[in-house]
Amino acid sequence: MSYLEAGADIIETNTFSSTTIAQADYDLQHLAYRLNVEAARLAKRCTAAMMAKDPSRPRFVAGALGPTNRSASVSPSVEKPEFRNVTYDELTEAYAQQARGLLDGGADFLLVETVFDTLNCKAALYALRDLFEKEGDKYPEVPVFVSGTLIDKSGRTLSGQTTEAFLASISANRLAFCVGLNCALGAAEMRPFLQRMSKAAGGLYVLCYPNAGLPNALGGYDETPSMMCTHVTDFAASGLVNVVGGCCGTGPDHIKVFYEAVRKLTPRVPPTLPPYMTLSGLEPLVVTPQTNFINIGERCNVSGSRRFANLIKANKYEEAIAVARQQVEAGAQVIDLNFDEGMLDTKAAMTKFLNLIGSEPDIARVPVCIDSSDFTVIETGLKCVQGKPIVNSISLKVNEDEFVRQARIVLQYGAAVVVMAFDEQGQAVTAEEKLRICKRSYDILTSSRVGFRPEDIIFDPNILTIATGMEEHNNYAVEFLNSIKMIKEAMPLAKVSGGVSNLSFSFRGNDSLREAMHSAFLYHAIKAGMDMGIVNAGALPIYDDIPKDTLELIEDAILNRTPDATEKLLEYAQRSKGQVKEASSSTVEEWRTRPVAERLSYSLVKGLSDHVVEDVEEARKTFPSSLQVIEGPLMAGMNQVGDLFGSGKMFLPQVIKSARVMKKAVAYLIPFMEEEKAERLRLNPELQEQQQHAGVVLLATVKGDVHDIGKNIVGVVLGCNNYKIIDLGVMVPCEKILQAAVAEGADIVGLSGLITPSLDEMVHVASEMERLGMKLPLLIGGATTSKIHTAVKITPHYAQPTVHVLDASRSVTVVASLLDRNAKQDFADDVAAQYQEMRDDYFRTLTDRKYVSLEKARKYKPQTNWTAQPAPVRPSFLGVHVIDDYDLTRLVNYIDWNPFFAVWELKGKYPNRGYPKIFNDPNVGAEAKKVFDEAQVMLQRIIKEKLLIAKGVVGFYPANSTGDDIEVYADDDDHARRSVIGTLYGLRQQAEKDAEDPYIAMGDFIAPKAKEVGDKDAVKDYVGLFAVSTGFGLDAIVEAFKKDHDDFGSIMAKALADRLAEAFAEALHEDVRKNLWGYAKDEVLSSDDLIRVRYQGIRPAPGYPVQPDHTEKETIWSILDVTKKTGIELTESMAMLPGASVSGIYLANPQAKYFAVGPIAKDQIEDYSRRKGKTVEHVEKWLRPDLSY
């Protein structure tokens, strides 16, 4: 009761260990059901009593299902890694009984908590789904919460899974309603992992109830309620959670503080994520449209590998495990496991092998494909896998009812499924038949009869053998290729796979020809849309390396281009059989005669390491330095590898072989580079007196990626240029990167990655660097990265310089520029300008850009805990302040000269971009200096003779937001804040964003309006308005120049008046921040800082990106009475007269930032027109450039 009285909405039953398995330790297993019933009844009596006191607030009982004291994934015996002291079936039976007891006792929902072994959790979820489906009359489905626990700061469960892999596993059977983390870590340590879960939990709610810190030396917990509350409130305010609470070491006092802190915060809105297939081993595998072909390793198949079959038959499992390890090391992203052999106990072999590789983290990190023609063997395998595997396969050939039964079982175990193109009539041969069967299967699987997600369905339309000599087989490959396109068009979220080796079965024994056929077939299949395949990709030749005459014969057969293709390929096979080695050796001799630079590139592309050391040594003697060997032929070879990989002509395993050759070459050169560096220091002693290092560069391959060759080369190249390199290695989590950057005093952070999921992790790291206020430049590199991705996806998340580095040879120039105090800002500005242009071009040409509804955009607006922030500063006065004849002399230092040169179409190129560097530009520098000097003469004349007069008005008012808009009030007391003197209407972004990015409107930066007068939690906020002009007198100046036919002078006067008006706005804004409003009294900024917007708050102007509606100027003019007080007028087209005028809004919120509303959809236009009381046509007229339709 004390927890409920403290504010808890949910109390859980004290049934953590109330399973037959856990109670067996005390010989009390016979009481397990009663323990659960009574615990639930007791908790239910408490919630009923509280609800009787306050019926308006429901309270709930969570029936707790603990992890048990045994693990289905981890052996209790070091000597017997395949042994388990509990089975999946024992767990499901125990959990089913516990759930019955909890529900009979009145639990409102079930909580599978403190999950340290995901396989135990999957057994619980299986049992619950079974209970709801088979005993639904008595036990109708209730919400199911799942909460994992992480053993340490690595962010993994005891059974080894990462947070994202755990989430993929537990959400796969579609039963979980809410997911989260509890116990183990304290709140502070839990944040990065909770953030990952929140981001990845699409459509699911998130809970978190941490311990009161880590246990102390005596096993107690030291975090007080107020200490924990800081972190818990941050979780809620940051939109990471829907449910918060406390675990070990927390009591009613903690809950009371949590309740008061979070009760009025906006709950997290579950994100809608792209429908990507996510598999998992210990780590997740996310299949996105950008993912390259996925290699499913084929060598752990007793039917396809004679060596593997012999090892299993001989009970040599340790050597058989080495086969699996070799495949993962070679780049297989999934491992196919098949033990279908007449002389094997297939179920026992499957269980033993899965248990053994479960104890091998380097293998278990990738998902498995459980492959068998016997469904009972598949089910046996599913009981051993804690990740989210693939089942290979099911089909309609068993009849529809059995197909549905098997599919429901696969879903219940939480697996993706391969569906073969078979039905009751047999195997599909033509593309049309393949499509018909696949579509029928898809409709059944995605219907309520089964409930599969479309993205978890993989079709195998049957790769059948060609070139058999039977004419009807000649078009089999063409039919498969055509079927891929048809399936992807009809079912775009489904995947297509196949067993590639089937294609060439008629050429058994001629491995070189078969491998060439597989390579050529994959090239065409991947282009057609094939997502994955069971293939030994590491053994395939590169498509471009297949001799042209051979390739033509192969493709004639694959594509059925000629009637005699089979005969010609068979003739070729007979001629070439037995000559492969001889041909291969002659090829080797030929390339060994080439120049050394070409030999090195060849070795890298082919993944040949036999001669690389001798070739590197030869190159070292001919190149000026060892470093130039890396920057020259070695980088040229790796760039070629990257090009082939990007075009689909190389596969990941082949790239990894190339990387190993590169590593070997670089490792050989490192000692020589160290000697060369020492020699330079000996010959130039003054170098030793300089700074020990030119800078500290921290490098890391991001979490989820194990590839590091590119990063290592960058480290070597930078190290040779006197930079201190801190290399964190591979698979580095975000928090470790950021902690190391601070601890090591890094000057620059460099992130690397090869696989596509690395891109999302880089965005996450950039976002976290921004959240923590880091100021370090960020370098982005790796095979899948690009300048456009960096510009569009990463740079917007981090305010500091973020630069894509194409390859190691460019890294020195980039790092040197970023660490040069004199060059850094110009370099960063140049990159920022390039990236902005790329973003603009990208979005302008994006024909399929998507937009969210206004309802969804508002749902995902920025979340602000207004009561937790410092109260807004009240301006030094409320009302209007008029400025007459402002001293122009004071404005000179505030002038931003860069737009002035744009008037004259003078633009310098880096490093001479911008004022005053433009004067050094070889093309426009002289002309820029000339026109600038002439501007100074005219400016001094304007000031001296008072040819222009500066006038303005500024006002401050009480204000609060109402949704997207800002209401402006007459006075500051509670009642006056109901008297609205004007509304500044806002527009909200609607262009679809990444899941974690909010949709912003101007009103988000002002505290919301009180629900009622006297609301204690209401925040009094304020807004400023202004209008200034330096255009009074300009018409006379221009007219005088026109009389003299001096167009140059006329343009110059107008340009200077515009510059002075902007300078007036800048100077006034500074005075507002420091004096008139006074919210940044201690601000000390240079003119350059002002131009770069390094101050607190913003001053958006109507007609510009933050609020593109020019008619909003009318509200400013009305409230300030601008025309009467200054003489600045508005025309019918909302232009300001004089033209050299600026107007806008002041927002003081430290979180306020400039943003672009961007294109908006029809629903917002209609809503906006209703709020403004204008017709849709009127609003569309003024916002036409910003309409998305």
Side-chain angles (χ1 to χ4, degrees):
M1 282 296 292
S2 58
Y3 284 100
L4 293 168
E5 290 166 350
D9 298 290
I10 302 167
I11 55 173
E12 63 172 283
T13 56
N14 186 17
T15 52
F16 185 84
S17 296
S18 298
T19 57
T20 52
I21 293 170
Q23 289 301 312
D25 285 357
Y26 315 103
D27 200 23
L28 295 176
Q29 59 268 37
H30 59 287
L31 295 179
Y33 172 78
R34 286 179 57 194
L35 287 171
N36 287 285
V37 171
E38 294 304 324
R41 284 175 179 166
L42 178 62
K44 194 66 175 178
R45 284 199 295 270
C46 293
T47 58
M50 286 301 298
M51 290 174 66
K53 294 180 183 178
D54 181 6
S56 66
R57 185 179 169 200
R59 309 294 181 102
F60 303 97
V61 173
L65 293 84
T68 81
N69 53 356
R70 301 193 178 192
S71 169
S73 293
V74 180
S75 172
S77 170
V78 176
E79 294 78 16
K80 297 181 66 178
E82 75 276 18
F83 173 68
R84 301 290 183 268
N85 61 4
V86 68
T87 68
Y88 192 92
D89 291 336
E90 289 168 347
L91 286 166
T92 56
E93 184 180 347
Y95 279 126
Q97 185 195 59
Q98 185 175 27
R100 291 188 191 96
L102 292 168
L103 294 172
D104 288 343
D108 298 298
F109 60 85
L110 299 174
L111 168 61
V112 183
E113 68 166 348
T114 321
V115 176
F116 63 78
D117 182 343
T118 313
L119 188 53
N120 288 34
C121 179
K122 288 176 68 176
L125 295 174
Y126 184 99
L128 297 181
R129 182 175 278 279
D130 220 37
L131 183 67
F132 298 148
E133 291 183 358
K134 294 179 180 177
E135 302 177 44
D137 291 342
K138 184 176 181 181
Y139 301 108
E141 185 171 334
V142 299
V144 175
F145 288 34
V146 179
S147 183
T149 190
L150 308 175
I151 57 170
D152 56 33
K153 294 181 182 180
S154 69
R156 291 180 182 260
T157 62
L158 181 66
S159 57
Q161 281 197 308
T162 66
T163 309
E164 296 91 337
F166 168 71
L167 181 61
S169 299
I170 63 172
S171 60
N173 81 344
R174 310 196 71 175
L175 187 61
F177 171 80
C178 181
V179 297
L181 299 171
N182 75 288
C183 202
L185 304 177
E189 294 81 12
M190 200 174 278
R191 191 187 200 284
F193 313 114
L194 184 64
Q195 184 173 21
R196 289 177 193 158
M197 178 164 284
S198 181
K199 179 181 177 182
L204 299 174
Y205 296 99
V206 171
L207 79 158
C208 178
Y209 50 115
N211 289 346
L214 296 169
N216 59 31
L218 300 177
Y221 297 88
D222 299 326
E223 286 197 5
T224 64
S226 60
M227 291 166 65
M228 276 193 79
C229 187
T230 301
H231 302 295
V232 170
T233 304
D234 170 55
F235 297 165
S238 300
L240 303 182
V241 292
N242 301 92
V243 182
V244 295
C247 198
C248 304
T250 63
D253 290 345
H254 289 80
I255 299 302
K256 184 176 182 179
V257 174
F258 297 171
Y259 170 68
E260 291 298 332
V262 306
R263 65 190 178 93
K264 292 201 173 183
L265 296 182
T266 304
R268 166 186 174 271
V269 178
T272 301
L273 300 180
Y276 298 152
M277 169 186 276
T278 302
L279 307 170
S280 65
L282 297 183
E283 295 161 16
L285 173 62
V286 183
V287 184
T288 73
Q290 292 75 40
T291 304
N292 287 311
F293 181 77
I294 292 175
N295 300 282
I296 303 176
E298 68 171 2
R299 309 314 293 166
C300 292
N301 184 326
V302 296
S303 302
S305 169
R306 188 177 304 162
R307 175 171 177 257
F308 184 76
N310 290 337
L311 291 172
I312 296 297
K313 289 177 182 177
N315 203 31
K316 295 182 178 179
Y317 277 84
E318 192 169 326
E319 293 178 48
I321 288 170
V323 175
R325 182 179 294 106
Q326 288 161 8
Q327 288 184 95
V328 176
E329 290 173 351
Q333 292 118 304
V334 181
I335 297 294
D336 183 73
L337 305 177
N338 183 296
F339 298 90
D340 288 358
E341 212 280 340
M343 300 305 293
L344 279 176
D345 182 341
T346 305
K347 293 180 183 178
M350 179 72 79
T351 300
K352 184 173 182 178
F353 195 79
L354 281 168
N355 285 349
L356 284 169
I357 65 172
S359 302
E360 301 285 341
D362 50 346
I363 303 172
R365 67 180 180 84
V366 304
V368 296
C369 178
I370 300 172
D371 185 353
S372 179
S373 57
D374 183 343
F375 190 75
T376 63
V377 175
I378 286 175
E379 194 168 357
T380 297
L382 288 169
K383 293 176 180 179
C384 302
V385 180
Q386 67 166 321
K388 179 181 176 183
I390 299 172
V391 161
N392 187 17
S393 60
I394 63 173
S395 75
L396 283 163
K397 70 180 179 182
V398 293
N399 74 56
E400 189 169 306
D401 288 341
E402 178 62 11
F403 176 75
V404 168
R405 186 191 76 83
Q406 292 180 2
R408 289 175 67 88
I409 290 172
V410 173
L411 178 62
Q412 194 167 343
Y413 279 104
V417 66
V418 174
V419 180
M420 300 293 292
F422 280 85
D423 68 2
E424 298 87 343
Q425 278 71 53
Q427 181 172 253
V429 173
T430 67
E432 291 74 20
E433 288 175 338
K434 294 175 192 287
L435 175 63
R436 177 184 61 79
I437 294 174
C438 290
K439 185 65 170 67
R440 179 186 166 201
S441 302
Y442 177 88
D443 290 342
I444 294 169
L445 291 173
T446 57
S447 72
S448 58
R449 295 175 69 187
V450 182
F452 255 99
R453 292 185 180 97
E455 61 270 24
D456 282 343
I457 300 170
I458 306 165
F459 289 113
D460 184 342
N462 309 327
I463 299 176
L464 302 175
T465 306
I466 62 170
T468 62
M470 299 177 68
E471 187 176 345
E472 59 267 32
H473 296 175
N474 291 350
N475 213 44
Y476 277 173
V478 174
E479 299 291 354
F480 182 88
L481 296 173
N482 290 339
S483 75
I484 298 174
K485 299 172 186 176
M486 295 163 71
I487 289 169
K488 300 295 276 189
E489 184 176 333
M491 298 158 283
L493 296 181
K495 305 294 177 284
V496 175
S497 181
V500 179
S501 60
N502 292 343
L503 179 85
S504 62
F505 203 65
S506 56
F507 297 99
R508 290 190 308 278
N510 193 335
D511 289 346
S512 61
L513 176 57
R514 293 191 71 184
E515 289 162 2
M517 289 178 69
H518 299 162
S519 181
F521 176 77
L522 278 173
Y523 175 71
H524 292 285
I526 293 168
K527 284 209 301 183
M530 187 173 174
D531 302 282
M532 56 187 70
I534 301 175
V535 61
N536 187 14
L540 298 185
I542 298 167
Y543 177 81
D544 281 357
D545 286 348
I546 302 171
K548 298 306 175 194
D549 56 343
T550 305
L551 181 62
E552 183 177 359
L553 291 172
I554 289 170
E555 291 188 331
D556 281 348
I558 289 173
L559 303 176
N560 195 17
R561 293 191 296 209
T562 62
D564 58 351
T566 296
E567 287 74 13
K568 287 183 176 179
L569 190 59
L570 288 169
E571 289 173 10
Y572 172 82
Q574 291 298 320
R575 290 198 313 271
S576 63
K577 196 171 184 179
Q579 300 174 10
V580 177
K581 297 295 181 185
E582 186 180 330
S584 175
S585 62
S586 66
T587 303
V588 169
E589 289 303 319
E590 186 279 323
W591 75 266
R592 293 302 301 156
T593 63
R594 300 177 191 175
V596 67
E598 291 184 30
R599 297 201 304 271
L600 285 170
S601 292
Y602 186 92
S603 292
L604 286 164
V605 173
K606 305 300 180 189
L608 303 173
S609 61
D610 292 349
H611 301 281
V612 71
V613 169
E614 63 186 87
D615 287 343
V616 166
E617 173 61 17
E618 182 180 336
R620 188 182 69 81
K621 292 176 179 177
T622 57
F623 279 75
S625 70
S626 299
L627 180 60
Q628 289 188 24
V629 178
I630 294 176
E631 294 180 332
L634 292 177
M635 282 307 304
M638 288 307 291
N639 289 338
Q640 190 177 346
V641 169
D643 292 341
L644 290 167
F645 182 53
S647 62
K649 296 177 180 178
M650 279 184 80
F651 304 108
L652 184 60
Q654 295 163 324
V655 174
I656 291 172
K657 287 169 68 176
S658 298
R660 287 176 181 155
V661 177
M662 184 69 167
K663 279 187 177 182
K664 187 173 183 179
V666 172
Y668 178 78
L669 287 170
I670 285 176
F672 296 102
M673 288 189 285
E674 293 293 335
E675 290 177 10
E676 291 164 8
K677 182 178 179 180
E679 181 64 13
R680 287 196 302 273
L681 291 173
R682 187 184 68 79
L683 296 175
N684 299 280
E686 65 274 10
L687 291 177
Q688 297 182 9
E689 299 173 8
Q690 296 175 6
Q691 184 181 359
Q692 185 178 3
H693 294 290
V696 179
V697 181
L698 183 141
L699 301 175
T701 299
V702 296
K703 178 178 173 288
D705 202 324
V706 298
H707 305 101
D708 63 355
I709 181 61
K711 171 180 64 65
N712 293 349
I713 296 168
V714 168
V716 169
V717 171
L718 290 174
C720 290
N721 283 272
N722 206 35
Y723 293 97
K724 181 181 178 182
I725 305 301
I726 308 296
D727 189 341
L728 299 182
V730 301
M731 287 287 294
V732 187
C734 172
E735 57 276 11
K736 183 176 178 180
I737 294 171
L738 306 188
Q739 290 166 4
V742 174
E744 299 287 351
D747 297 302
I748 286 182
V749 172
L751 305 180
S752 176
L754 174 66
I755 58 177
T756 304
S758 303
L759 302 178
D760 291 335
E761 184 65 15
M762 290 175 180
V763 173
H764 173 62
V765 174
S767 300
E768 284 296 282
M769 291 177 75
E770 179 69 15
R771 183 181 70 84
L772 296 174
M774 300 182 77
K775 303 298 182 184
L776 304 178
L778 180 62
L779 305 184
I780 303 294
T784 56
T785 64
S786 66
K787 187 182 286 188
I788 185 65
H789 180 273
T790 304
V792 173
K793 295 290 188 179
I794 301 178
T795 302
H797 292 273
Y798 188 46
Q800 302 306 314
T802 304
V803 185
H804 177 257
V805 182
L806 185 63
D807 57 50
S809 63
R810 319 286 175 90
S811 61
V812 176
T813 304
V814 172
V815 171
S817 299
L818 288 171
L819 296 186
D820 185 331
R821 291 182 181 178
N822 297 321
K824 175 182 177 180
Q825 195 60 62
D826 288 331
F827 178 77
D829 288 347
D830 185 67
V831 171
Q834 288 181 43
Y835 286 8
Q836 184 61 55
E837 290 174 8
M838 294 177 77
R839 279 194 296 276
D840 292 343
D841 290 343
Y842 173 80
F843 289 119
R844 187 166 47 249
T845 59
L846 195 62
T847 56
D848 60 345
R849 192 171 191 187
K850 297 177 182 177
Y851 300 89
V852 300
S853 67
L854 179 59
E855 180 185 8
K856 181 174 179 180
R858 285 172 173 165
K859 190 176 179 181
Y860 289 95
K861 71 178 186 178
Q863 302 299 321
T864 303
N865 183 3
W866 292 100
T867 56
Q869 290 193 156
V873 175
R874 192 179 193 273
S876 64
F877 68 89
L878 295 179
V880 175
H881 172 67
V882 178
I883 305 164
D884 239 345
D885 196 10
Y886 195 90
D887 184 358
L888 296 181
T889 306
R890 295 175 58 189
L891 299 182
V892 174
N893 289 334
Y894 291 89
I895 293 176
D896 178 4
W897 288 103
N898 290 308
F900 171 80
F901 294 110
V903 170
W904 303 102
E905 297 185 1
L906 298 171
K907 185 177 180 181
K909 294 183 179 179
Y910 179 80
N912 300 314
R913 180 178 291 192
Y915 170 80
K917 295 288 184 68
I918 191 173
F919 300 148
N920 300 323
D921 190 88
N923 297 317
V924 303
E927 186 61 30
K929 186 67 170 68
K930 179 183 176 184
V931 75
F932 178 77
D933 291 342
E934 291 175 350
Q936 302 312 301
V937 173
M938 184 178 288
L939 180 60
Q940 291 307 312
R941 181 188 163 207
I942 288 171
I943 295 172
K944 184 177 180 180
E945 299 178 18
K946 291 199 131 187
L947 298 178
L948 295 177
I949 304 299
K951 297 181 180 182
V953 59
V954 60
F956 305 110
Y957 300 90
N960 283 111
S961 63
T962 56
D964 305 343
D965 309 325
I966 300 171
E967 286 186 351
V968 183
Y969 306 116
D971 209 340
D972 206 13
D973 63 71
D974 288 345
H975 290 282
R977 281 184 178 255
R978 298 283 153 177
S979 177
V980 179
I981 61 173
T983 300
L984 300 166
Y985 292 96
L987 290 163
R988 189 170 295 281
Q989 295 170 320
Q990 283 189 279
E992 190 173 60
K993 300 186 177 191
D994 294 334
E996 62 182 18
D997 291 343
Y999 297 86
I1000 307 172
M1002 187 172 62
D1004 298 332
F1005 303 133
I1006 294 284
K1009 182 178 181 177
K1011 294 183 175 64
E1012 57 187 22
V1013 175
D1015 185 347
K1016 292 188 300 181
D1017 291 322
V1019 176
K1020 292 183 176 182
D1021 214 336
Y1022 304 88
V1023 71
L1025 307 172
F1026 75 96
V1028 297
S1029 178
T1030 56
F1032 295 100
L1034 179 62
D1035 287 347
I1037 300 173
V1038 170
E1039 189 61 31
F1041 281 121
K1042 282 185 176 179
K1043 284 182 179 180
D1044 290 341
H1045 305 288
D1046 187 353
D1047 291 339
F1048 178 84
S1050 175
I1051 295 171
M1052 178 69 79
K1054 290 178 182 178
L1056 288 173
D1058 284 342
R1059 289 300 86 224
L1060 286 168
E1062 292 290 350
F1064 194 180
E1066 198 69 76
L1068 179 58
H1069 193 188
E1070 182 180 58
D1071 198 27
V1072 164
R1073 295 191 302 273
K1074 298 170 76 171
N1075 302 302
L1076 299 178
W1077 190 332
Y1079 62 80
K1081 291 182 177 180
D1082 299 326
E1083 173 184 290
V1084 179
L1085 297 173
S1086 66
S1087 298
D1088 189 58
D1089 291 329
L1090 298 179
I1091 292 170
R1092 300 184 191 285
V1093 196
R1094 290 174 177 155
Y1095 45 73
Q1096 177 181 326
I1098 58 174
R1099 60 168 194 274
Y1104 288 84
V1106 171
Q1107 174 34 298
D1109 184 359
H1110 280 279
T1111 66
E1112 283 297 291
K1113 292 173 190 168
E1114 292 178 316
T1115 305
I1116 298 174
W1117 256 247
S1118 171
I1119 295 174
L1120 293 178
D1121 199 4
V1122 174
T1123 301
K1124 182 178 179 180
K1125 289 184 167 62
T1126 65
I1128 308 172
E1129 300 176 348
L1130 280 180
T1131 69
E1132 288 185 0
S1133 62
M1134 294 299 134
M1136 293 175 284
L1137 290 177
S1141 301
V1142 180
S1143 62
I1145 303 163
Y1146 293 129
L1147 301 177
N1149 189 332
Q1151 305 303 317
K1153 62 180 182 179
Y1154 289 104
F1155 65 95
V1157 169
I1160 47 183
K1162 183 80 170 182
D1163 63 342
Q1164 181 159 199
I1165 292 296
E1166 292 171 345
D1167 185 85
Y1168 186 69
S1169 68
R1170 283 194 298 271
R1171 286 166 18 225
K1172 289 197 70 162
K1174 303 290 185 181
T1175 66
V1176 169
E1177 292 73 22
H1178 174 87
V1179 170
E1180 287 178 330
K1181 169 191 169 184
W1182 288 101
L1183 290 171
R1184 193 156 309 282
D1186 302 283
L1187 302 180
S1188 68
Y1189 55 94

